[in-house]
């Protein structure tokens, strides 16, 4: 960490984070015992760090690049990267990352593959430039709930927060 509290991202640190993230992801895709062990595993820090930094918009795009090019990573791992940090970057901070990501898709098929695995809601997808959207799956149109759909019904007065309160059982004497 630097004096300001931000992490310094040198090339060695980027590779270390990418590899630890892959090892942790492999445990999460493993047997039940491996999945349980992942929550106490030595590489959990990498997932936490990548999640926090990508959510905050402070994850260098080079970290995602290192993940996608990890020699021990496979298509399933790259899919995890797409659905995790890459998706968060485009959802949380599209203006900060879209240019660098788009530039990489022009020269790297792994980035094109990864973007095909990113799912954004219609609002986030619509905020991206057309040249970026063509690399992403188009979200399905929003469908209005029908009256028969239970989620579209209004709550009963007992369920409604401002309506009647549910009846309580009589107090025990």
């Amino acid at each position: 960490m630097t004096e300001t509290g931000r992490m310094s991202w040198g090339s060695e640190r980027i590779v270390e984070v990418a590899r630890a993230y892959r090892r942790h992801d492999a445990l999460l895709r493993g047997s039940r015992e491996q999945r349980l062990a992942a929550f106490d595993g030595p590489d959990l820090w990498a997932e936490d760090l990548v999640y926090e930094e990508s959510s905050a918009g402070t994850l260098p795009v080079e970290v995602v690049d290192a993940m996608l090019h990890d020699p021990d990573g496979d298509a399933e791992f790259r899919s995890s990267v797409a659905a995790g940090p890459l998706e968060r970057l485009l959802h949380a901070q599209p203006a900060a990352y879209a240019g660098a990501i788009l530039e990489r898709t022009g020269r790297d098929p792994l980035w094109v593959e990864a973007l095909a695995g990113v799912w954004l809601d219609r609002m986030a997808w619509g905020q991206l430039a057309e040249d970026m959207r063509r690399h992403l799956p188009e979200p399905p149109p929003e469908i209005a709930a029908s009256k028969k759909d239970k989620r579209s019904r209004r709550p009963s007065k007992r369920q409604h927060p401002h309506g009647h309160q549910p009846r309580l059982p009589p107090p025990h004497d």
Side-chain angles (χ1 to χ4, degrees), residues 131-150:
D131 52 348
M132 177 59 115
R133 286 196 311 253
R134 73 169 182 249
H135 293 285
L136 299 165
E138 183 174 352
E142 300 295 326
I143 300 172
S146 71
K147 289 189 177 198
K148 291 182 181 178
D149 185 355
K150 290 182 180 180

Side-chain angles (χ1 to χ4, degrees), residues 37-168:
F39 293 103
D40 295 345
D43 296 316
L44 177 62
W45 66 270
E47 170 147 341
D48 290 343
L49 176 67
V50 169
Y51 179 84
E52 290 170 14
E53 297 285 322
S54 61
S55 296
T58 55
L59 184 74
V61 73
E62 291 82 8
V63 175
V64 177
D65 193 59
M67 290 175 181
L68 294 176
H69 289 93
D70 187 322
D72 295 323
D74 57 9
E76 196 171 351
F77 172 64
R78 289 188 299 276
S79 179
S80 264
V81 172
L86 187 52
E87 196 169 283
R88 271 190 304 281
L89 292 176
L90 286 172
H91 193 271
Q93 302 287 330
Y97 288 95
I101 291 170
L102 190 58
E103 185 265 323
R104 283 168 170 75
T105 61
R107 61 181 160 83
D108 190 339
L110 289 178
W111 277 89
V112 174
E113 172 192 333
L115 282 177
V118 171
W119 289 88
L120 298 175
D121 60 41
R122 186 153 286 283
M123 186 182 337
W125 184 83
Q127 292 176 354
L128 295 171
E130 176 60 35
D131 52 348
M132 177 59 115
R133 286 196 311 253
R134 73 169 182 249
H135 293 285
L136 299 165
E138 183 174 352
E142 300 295 326
I143 300 172
S146 71
K147 289 189 177 198
K148 291 182 181 178
D149 185 355
K150 290 182 180 180
R151 291 170 289 189
S152 68
R153 291 188 309 184
R154 291 195 303 180
S156 72
K157 287 184 179 180
R158 274 206 231 158
Q159 294 170 329
H160 197 278
H162 303 294
H164 296 285
Q165 294 297 316
R167 289 184 230 172
L168 300 174

